[in-house]
Amino acid sequence: MKITVLSDNIGCGALKGEWGLSFHIEFNGKKYLLDTGGSELFLANAKQLGIDIAEVDCAVLSHAHYDHSLGMEAFFRANSKADFFVSPNAGEDCYAGLGFLSRYIGLPKGVLSSYKDRIKTPSGTSEVDKDVFVVPHSTDGLSKIGRRSHLYVRRGLRYLPDDFAHEQSLVFRTGSGLVVFNSCSHSGADVVMEEVCRAFPGENVEAYLGGLHLFRLSDGEVRDIAGKIRDAGIKRVITGHCTGERAYSILKCSLGDGIDQFHCGMVIEL
């Protein structure tokens, strides 16, 4: 498996960074895209890296926030063949804050209807390709995390705490174990790990990649997360985006060689 980071907060050389995330993944002779970042930057960076987005065989959206989806229309223009797997619970309804103070942070308006022939909405844990799966949340009570993070979904005139039903993990079954991608881990990496282990009983997790959404947490809370990651038995964590530089330095002190930070253009081989 070869993973290339197309979009992340941290740029590298001529590759620009942004508040967003996008991965290009090569696995078993096929090419996958996870998320499209917060703009068309993933396309520009892919071109500089010699990656042709037109050749992507399958695309997946991790969740319905702008920093992972604003490049969707650009993807559809650049690629005419790949199915795009989106949670059936993803809608144009995600907000930060409440009422007059709310800010829309969701999908590009109209993208679901404009490209409905290309978008697939799998139900439950689903195999989207051979040994490639999407795993939705199966844990109750996640709306308390949405409330604490001031993240909401709008239902008519009401704003409800986000329970992240629109979020899904992308899981690859490799010869050395499962490789799990969860782009923002809003529920916590430990919760995601529990869900993956329930979906794949008896299989070990080789690596966990994605943001950990720790940039607003206190140092003590980050250290608690580090302990949960260690207890979950994840062999290798590669993180960035919404983890944050301060939180990453705390995780690095706790997890040592078990954790690395990604950046635009980084190539990871597993």
Side-chain angles (χ1 to χ4, degrees):
M1 172 182 282
K2 179 181 178 181
I3 304 153
T4 305
V5 182
L6 300 182
S7 176
D8 177 55
N9 299 20
I10 302 175
C12 184
L15 300 174
K16 294 182 179 179
E18 66 174 357
W19 182 264
L21 193 59
S22 178
F23 293 105
H24 182 269
I25 305 160
E26 297 176 47
F27 177 70
N28 283 351
K30 289 192 174 183
K31 298 174 182 179
Y32 302 85
L33 186 79
L34 174 62
D35 292 345
T36 62
S39 69
E40 298 186 14
L41 179 66
F42 80 102
L43 275 179
N45 285 348
K47 184 176 181 179
Q48 290 197 57
L49 293 165
I51 293 173
D52 187 355
I53 294 298
E55 295 181 356
V56 168
D57 297 293
C58 175
V60 175
L61 181 68
S62 64
H63 63 292
H65 285 171
Y66 75 98
D67 47 335
H68 301 263
S69 65
L70 284 186
M72 285 179 70
E73 292 174 291
F75 172 78
F76 287 122
R77 292 195 301 268
N79 181 295
S80 62
K81 67 174 184 176
D83 288 335
F84 206 120
F85 289 87
V86 176
S87 166
N89 298 306
E92 298 167 8
D93 54 10
C94 292
Y95 289 80
L98 287 171
F100 293 113
L101 298 177
S102 66
R103 176 172 62 93
Y104 182 69
I105 59 168
L107 298 170
K109 294 287 188 178
V111 70
L112 296 178
S113 57
S114 296
Y115 297 96
K116 60 184 179 181
D117 293 339
R118 300 278 303 277
I119 291 173
K120 308 297 180 184
T121 53
S123 178
T125 296
S126 302
E127 190 170 21
V128 300
D129 209 342
K130 180 175 172 53
D131 292 328
V132 183
F133 305 84
V134 289
V135 180
H137 281 308
S138 57
T139 304
D140 294 330
L142 297 183
S143 59
K144 64 184 179 184
I145 297 172
R147 182 181 291 107
R148 186 177 67 216
S149 301
H150 307 293
L151 297 175
Y152 297 87
V153 290
R154 187 172 180 176
R155 298 288 184 265
L157 297 177
R158 300 177 64 201
Y159 291 85
L160 304 177
D162 198 340
D163 64 358
F164 307 106
H166 55 89
E167 189 170 54
Q168 55 190 1
S169 299
L170 176 62
V171 179
F172 292 82
R173 178 183 279 135
T174 76
S176 57
L178 303 174
V179 176
V180 179
F181 292 80
N182 191 292
S183 294
C184 273
S185 310
H186 290 103
S187 64
D190 56 321
V191 171
V192 173
M193 280 289 295
E194 289 173 4
E195 294 172 341
V196 169
C197 289
R198 284 199 298 268
F200 302 93
E203 300 190 45
N204 71 291
V205 174
E206 178 68 16
Y208 187 106
L209 293 91
L212 299 176
H213 215 264
L214 304 179
F215 68 102
R216 288 177 175 160
L217 298 189
S218 69
D219 291 2
E221 289 172 315
V222 174
R223 282 190 285 270
D224 287 343
I225 294 294
K228 291 179 179 179
I229 290 172
R230 190 185 305 105
D231 293 343
I234 307 172
K235 294 181 180 179
R236 186 178 182 190
V237 176
I238 309 174
T239 190
H241 181 43
C242 57
T243 298
E245 293 280 356
R246 175 187 56 84
Y248 176 75
S249 66
I250 296 170
L251 293 174
K252 187 67 176 176
C253 288
S254 180
L255 300 175
D257 292 339
I259 189 167
D260 293 295
Q261 186 176 46
F262 50 68
H263 55 77
C264 291
M266 183 178 183
V267 176
I268 304 152
E269 297 195 16
L270 299 173

